[in-house]
Amino acid sequence: MNYPKLFAITSPSGGGKTSIIKVVLERHPEIKFSISATTRPMRSGEVNGREYFFLSQEEFQTLIEHDELVEYEQLYTDYYGTLQREVNRALQAGSCMIFDVDVKGARSIQQKYPNEAVLIFIMPPSLEILEQRLRSRKTENEEKIQRRLSRAKMELEIGKTFPHIIVNDDLSRAINETENIIQSYLS
Ligand code: 5GP
């Protein structure tokens, strides 16, 4: 039996997964993107309903109470969660789907969908390079950068156990490697 695949792509913040996912989706319009719900503020350039559904804390709580999330995590001060309706959208259409989630979210998706989930970890070349990237994108203040770096250490430990690991020392190579892994599951 061929199940539509759910590709959970994860990396520490600044690890490059958002850029990789963007290109893979452009090259593969047949793959859907799971739009998560979050309570974090919208960044400039983001659009509600495209990168995320941006919700208030109350709206997010309602999703939890109504059991509308496949998984959710509190990261830093904000909540992020995968919507059950997004997963249903893919499975009903028989389409593959990409999830941009943290390591724990990827594990939860794997537990709920053991036949469909494929976990891919994007590994930054080093913590120093991760720090440089976080600083250069200028979207977080110093306190947030420090929090993301300390969390990155935990994420790197968990990510090491993922079945697919891609070292992002060169973005175009990392994109191609991710695409190759995904393609190997598309029949
Ligand atoms: P950012 O604020 O930079 O967009 O995302 C912060 C972190 O939250 C990233 O590691 C991203 O992958 C993760 N994330 C985004 N959506 C979800 C989700 O639905 N569930 C989980 N567990 N993590 C998510």
Side-chain angles (χ1 to χ4, degrees):
M1 167 99 193
N2 260 342
Y3 296 95
K5 292 296 174 202
L6 306 176
F7 298 101
I9 303 189
T10 183
S11 76
S13 189
K17 70 178 171 307
T18 307
S19 318
I20 293 173
I21 290 173
K22 190 166 172 279
V23 179
V24 172
L25 287 170
E26 278 164 10
R27 291 186 191 169
H28 291 274
E30 76 280 16
I31 303 178
K32 299 183 188 302
F33 176 66
S34 165
I35 304 166
S36 291
T38 185
T39 61
R40 86 142 160 75
M42 207 187 297
R43 293 183 190 138
S44 87
E46 289 182 327
V47 175
N48 190 18
R50 189 179 67 188
E51 283 81 6
Y52 288 103
F53 295 107
F54 293 94
L55 305 181
S56 65
Q57 296 275 349
E58 292 73 28
E59 287 167 327
F60 200 94
Q61 279 305 322
T62 306
L63 289 179
I64 297 172
E65 283 158 22
H66 293 185
D67 209 16
E68 289 183 42
L69 298 174
V70 173
E71 59 78 35
Y72 69 93
E73 294 289 335
Q74 187 180 7
L75 299 170
Y76 322 111
T77 51
D78 296 309
Y79 286 90
Y80 295 81
T82 302
L83 290 156
Q84 184 68 59
R85 66 167 193 258
E86 288 292 289
V87 180
N88 295 349
R89 181 164 69 93
L91 296 181
Q92 280 158 15
S95 307
C96 294
M97 185 166 243
I98 287 181
F99 299 75
D100 178 337
V101 289
D102 81 316
V103 282
K104 292 185 178 165
R107 279 271 169 81
S108 303
I109 291 171
Q110 186 184 38
Q111 271 163 17
K112 284 212 175 164
Y113 296 98
N115 294 316
E116 292 88 353
V118 177
L119 271 48
I120 302 174
F121 189 74
I122 312 291
M123 179 82 75
S126 67
L127 274 174
E128 291 70 32
I129 291 179
L130 188 70
E131 181 168 358
Q132 279 169 23
R133 285 187 194 155
L134 277 176
R135 288 188 190 287
S136 66
R137 73 181 191 185
K138 295 194 169 68
T139 51
E140 279 84 27
N141 61 27
E142 183 58 30
E143 187 201 340
K144 285 192 175 170
I145 289 174
Q146 290 306 331
R147 255 189 281 152
R148 282 172 191 244
L149 281 174
S150 64
R151 188 178 165 86
K153 292 181 188 150
M154 173 280 283
E155 292 177 310
L156 291 175
E157 282 308 305
I158 300 182
K160 275 187 206 160
T161 67
F162 279 23
H164 300 289
I165 299 173
I166 292 165
V167 179
N168 183 12
D169 48 5
D170 175 277
L171 185 60
S172 57
R173 198 177 53 76
I175 290 169
N176 290 337
E177 278 187 28
T178 308
E179 190 186 10
N180 286 343
I181 291 170
I182 289 176
Q183 250 164 347
S184 73
Y185 287 91
L186 306 178
S187 48

